[in-house]
Amino acid sequence: MNKLTHVAAAFAAISILGCAGAAQAADDTMVVRLGDLNTSSQQGAEHALRRIKHAARSFCGPASREIGRRFAGKVCEKRMTNQAVAVLDAPLVSALNTAGQRIELAQAEAAAR
């Protein structure tokens, strides 16, 4: 495994929602250091996913109280997390990331009721 996992931020600009802080230029790169982790172990995979999510939050900009910016930031974070997990191509990290998304959807659905 490489010492660094580079994830290109090639995604559609979220600026159409008026969220310049959450949108990044298409040539930006998110760097996540994972060389010290064993992503084949449960603990290593969990730690890798935490690092990826933290990097995505930092990459996508500071949290905002304005609802449009907050939504755009969450969309950016999810997209960057999914891209980083795909580039890493570690089965346990992928499974944890997918499981987390299902839980979030169930929670959002329950909250809407």
Side-chain angles (χ1 to χ4, degrees):
M1 181 184 347
N2 293 336
K3 290 286 182 183
L4 299 176
T5 300
H6 295 275
V7 182
F11 57 87
I14 304 171
S15 60
I16 56 172
L17 297 174
C19 306
Q24 299 290 326
D27 61 345
D28 282 349
T29 301
M30 183 175 87
V31 177
V32 183
R33 299 185 192 285
L34 303 172
D36 61 325
L37 300 176
N38 175 5
T39 58
S40 298
S41 74
Q42 182 72 24
Q43 184 178 17
E46 289 171 355
H47 200 190
L49 186 57
R50 279 194 300 272
R51 285 186 190 177
I52 290 169
K53 287 182 176 185
H54 176 74
R57 274 191 300 277
S58 296
F59 180 86
C60 292
S64 174
R65 292 183 184 220
E66 195 269 310
I67 195 147
R69 287 181 186 222
R70 183 179 296 169
F71 176 76
K74 292 294 181 187
V75 169
C76 175
E77 288 173 28
K78 186 168 289 220
R79 182 173 293 135
M80 293 307 297
T81 297
N82 290 341
Q83 286 180 345
V85 168
V87 168
L88 181 59
D89 194 27
L92 278 176
V93 178
S94 296
L96 289 170
N97 186 48
T98 302
Q101 289 177 359
R102 287 185 185 141
I103 290 169
E104 288 176 18
L105 291 173
Q107 289 173 345
E109 192 173 302
R113 293 182 188 174

